[in-house]
Amino acid sequence: MQFEVWAPQAARVTLHCGGATRALARDEERDGWWKGDAEAGDGTRYGFALDDGAVLPDPRSRRQPDGPDGLSAVVDHGRYAWRADWPGRGLPGAVLYELHVGTYTREGTLDAAAERLGHLVELGVTHVELMPLCPFPGRHGWGYEGVSLWAVHEPYGGPEALKRFVDRAHELGLGVVLDVVHNHLGPSGNHLPAFGPYFTDTHHTPWGAAVNLDAPGSDEVRACLVGSALAWLRDYRVDGLRLDAVHALCDTRACHFLAELSTAVDALSADQDRPLFLVAESDLNDPRLVTPRHEGGLGLHAQWNDDFHHALHTALTGEAQGYYEDFARAPFAALAKTLTGGFFHDGTYSTFRGRGHGRPLDRTRVSAHRLLGYAQTHDQVGNRAQGDRLSASLSPGLLACAATLTLTSAFTPMLFMGEEWAAGTPWQFFTDHTDPELAEAVRRGRRREFAAHGWAEEDVPDPQDPATRDRSCLDWSEPENGIHARVLAWYRGLITLRHHEADLSDPDLTDVKVAYDEEARWIAFRRGDVRVAVNLSKEPARIPLGLAHARVLAAWEPVQTPGADGVLELPGESSVVLTQA
C-alpha cells in the first residue's frame, strides 16, 4: 500500500513499517509531500523518521494502539460490515443527549455505552452527542486534549468499537454527533510541529500558539482538519459534528475555515444523500455562524446558545458571579429575551467582558432549531469547582421546571447525561496525564483557579486522583428509584409531547409570546395553541394565561385548568403544559 506524509521542512523522510524501513520520495505533484509503497494491511504498525531522527507517529494516523507516542497502525475501513441501512437524521426536530464515553458507564468503553442506548430510545432523544474520542495520554480524561485528529482513543475500544457503537445507534433509530476539537491539540504526545507548520505564533489562544489557519503552510493544515472531519462522517457514518470553541479559530483569510468546512460537509451530504450537520460552540453571539454562505454567512447548521443557559441558571439558582452577573440582575427578563430573541447579549454591554457583545438575531430569517438550548452541559457542570449538578442544590420541582423550559422552548434541546433522572453523582474535571510535570501543573492550576473564588485547596478535587473519575461515573441503579424515577418520567413525558405536539417543534421565534413576573418568580409563554407556565417560587402563583378553556398536557404537581377569568393557579416550584381545549 502507499504511505504519504506532509513534511515540508525535512530533507529526508524514512518509513518504518512492519519492522522494515525504506526511504520515501518527494511527491513531484504536491509540494512538501513524501510518498512510497510498502507491504502492509489492517493493523500493521508504522511511523516516520525525519532527517534520521526518532520514529514518530503519522500526523494523520487512523489508529494509535499504544497511545499518542506509539507507532501508528493501518486501518482498513472496508473490513467492517455495516448492519444498519441508515437514511440519516437531520437536526430539525431533534433532541440531543451529550454523553462522555469514559463515565457514561463504569467500564468506560464504547461497547459498554452501546449496551445502554436502549435507555435513550425510551427517553425519546433523537441523537447521541459523544464528547471527543481522539487519543490522549493515559486512560481517562475529558477528551479535549487529543492529538490524533483521525483516530479513536484506544481505551474506549478504538476504531472498530466506534463503528459498532454508531451501527447500534442507527439500528435503534438514533443519530450520532461527535465533538471534535480543531482549535488546539493536547500538549502531551503532540508531534505535529516536527512535521510542519501546524501551529503559528501569529495568533495566541488560551492554549498557546494557534492552529495555523492563515499563515504560510496553512493550506495543508486546513486540508488536514477538513479531511479529518469528513472522515468521521464518511468512514464512521457519524451524522453530525460539534465543533469545540470556534471563537478560538484564528483565521484572517478571506474564506474563513468554517465556511470551507461547511462547504465540504454539504458536498459530502449531497454525495451520500443523507443529512449531515455542523454544530458550533461559540462565545461570539454572531448570527453569521449559522447564516447560509450564499447570504454572506459561514454556513454552519447550528450553535450552542449559552445565553439561554445563563438566564435559566440564574433564575433557578440566584448565582450572580462571573458571566452570570448581567443575567442575574433580572433573570426572568433575561430568560424572556432569550426565549423570544435567541441571544441576551445582542450588542448589549457585557460586564464580564467589559465591552459590548454580540449581534441581534433576525428572528424572521433564522430558525430557532439552529440554536441549542440546555440547562446543563459538560462545561457548565464540570467546570464548577466540585462538578456539582443542578440536582445537588435544587429541589425536584425546580429540576422539573428546568426540564420544562428546556424541552418546550423553540430551540433544539440538549440534555447532559444523567440530567434526565437528577443524577446524584457529580461530574468533575479529571485527567490521567502520564507526564508527572504536566500532571502537577494541571493539579496546581486547577486549585489556584478556584482559590481565587474562595475555595479551599482541599475542597477542589485532584484531577489526577482516579477517584475523581470514579465519582463522575453515572450510577445506573438510580433511574428507576424514588425521586430519580419521577424526574425521569417527567423528562420522558415532555420529550414525547415535543415530538407529538406540532406547536412545540415549531422553530419560529416570532411566534413565541412571553409573560413573566420578576418578583413573583413565574414565567409563561405561548407557542401556537400550547401554553407553558413555570413557577420557580416556593409559593403558589396566580398566572393570567388568558385561556379559559384548556386541557392539561403535563403537570409536575396536580393543577386545575384556568377558570373563566383565564387565571391559572400554579403550585410552588412546579410547571404545567396546557393546550387550547
Side-chain angles (χ1 to χ4, degrees), residues 142-372:
W142 280 19
Y144 291 93
E145 294 185 337
V147 294
S148 297
L149 296 179
W150 306 61
V152 179
H153 191 50
E154 206 68 22
Y156 288 168
E160 292 288 296
L162 177 56
K163 291 175 183 175
R164 291 191 295 269
F165 180 93
V166 173
D167 220 0
R168 182 56 181 154
H170 287 171
E171 286 180 325
L172 295 172
L174 295 169
V176 180
V177 182
L178 178 61
D179 194 338
V180 297
V181 185
H182 292 154
N183 53 64
H184 74 290
L185 286 89
S188 181
N190 182 4
H191 301 286
L192 292 181
F195 285 88
Y198 281 90
F199 300 90
T200 175
D201 289 329
T202 304
H203 311 288
H204 290 273
T205 74
W207 308 281
V211 173
N212 181 14
L213 298 176
D214 58 4
S218 58
D219 285 354
E220 291 293 352
V221 178
R222 292 161 74 110
C224 174
L225 298 181
V226 171
S228 69
L230 296 181
W232 296 117
L233 299 166
R234 181 188 60 244
D235 299 334
Y236 293 95
R237 301 194 179 184
V238 167
D239 300 279
L241 301 176
R242 183 261 191 187
L243 310 177
D244 182 63
V246 299
H247 51 270
L249 295 172
C250 304
D251 183 8
T252 60
R253 290 170 61 160
C255 180
H256 195 280
F257 166 72
L258 291 175
E260 183 178 337
L261 177 60
S262 68
T263 299
V265 169
D266 287 347
L268 180 63
S269 176
D271 181 66
Q272 296 202 341
D273 193 28
R274 67 183 177 102
L276 302 172
F277 55 86
L278 298 170
V279 180
E281 179 200 20
S282 174
D283 187 42
L284 301 176
N285 281 18
D286 187 352
R288 285 175 293 190
L289 276 175
V290 295
T291 298
R293 293 184 302 277
H294 67 269
E295 296 180 15
L298 298 179
L300 302 184
H301 305 92
Q303 72 156 84
W304 282 24
N305 185 9
D306 275 352
D307 279 15
F308 172 75
H309 168 273
H310 297 348
L312 177 55
H313 189 88
T314 56
L316 290 165
T317 68
E319 292 183 15
Q321 73 277 17
Y323 47 65
Y324 291 136
E325 182 177 353
D326 291 335
F327 298 85
R329 291 193 181 104
F332 286 80
L335 192 52
K337 183 176 180 180
T338 59
L339 285 169
T340 57
F343 298 145
F344 174 76
H345 283 303
D346 53 6
T348 59
Y349 184 80
S350 166
T351 304
F352 176 70
R353 297 171 179 85
R355 58 169 174 80
H357 183 63
R359 297 179 63 186
L361 190 79
D362 186 345
R363 300 187 304 158
T364 65
R365 301 176 67 183
V366 178
S367 170
H369 88 269
R370 298 189 182 279
L371 300 178
L372 269 61

Side-chain angles (χ1 to χ4, degrees), residues 321-479:
Q321 73 277 17
Y323 47 65
Y324 291 136
E325 182 177 353
D326 291 335
F327 298 85
R329 291 193 181 104
F332 286 80
L335 192 52
K337 183 176 180 180
T338 59
L339 285 169
T340 57
F343 298 145
F344 174 76
H345 283 303
D346 53 6
T348 59
Y349 184 80
S350 166
T351 304
F352 176 70
R353 297 171 179 85
R355 58 169 174 80
H357 183 63
R359 297 179 63 186
L361 190 79
D362 186 345
R363 300 187 304 158
T364 65
R365 301 176 67 183
V366 178
S367 170
H369 88 269
R370 298 189 182 279
L371 300 178
L372 269 61
Y374 35 83
Q376 301 181 73
T377 70
H378 79 272
D379 268 331
Q380 301 300 339
V381 175
N383 282 327
R384 298 173 68 83
Q386 295 187 323
D388 49 308
R389 299 169 178 267
L390 288 177
S391 53
S393 57
L394 300 184
S395 69
L398 289 179
L399 296 177
C401 290
T404 303
L405 288 163
T406 302
L407 291 166
T408 62
S409 76
F411 309 130
T412 295
M414 185 180 73
L415 312 178
F416 178 57
M417 63 176 196
E419 168 190 341
E420 73 276 17
W421 73 70
T425 51
W427 201 75
Q428 300 176 334
F429 179 72
F430 52 89
T431 57
D432 189 21
H433 291 301
T434 53
D435 179 342
E437 291 185 6
L438 179 59
E440 181 58 27
V442 170
R443 182 184 292 116
R444 288 197 310 267
R446 188 76 176 174
R447 289 172 173 168
R448 185 168 54 247
E449 175 187 355
F450 286 103
H453 297 285
W455 288 86
E457 182 174 309
E458 61 271 18
D459 292 335
V460 180
D462 179 0
Q464 284 286 120
D465 185 347
T468 304
R469 176 264 172 182
D470 292 345
R471 282 191 297 271
S472 301
C473 293
L474 289 177
D475 179 355
W476 284 93
S477 69
E478 289 182 341

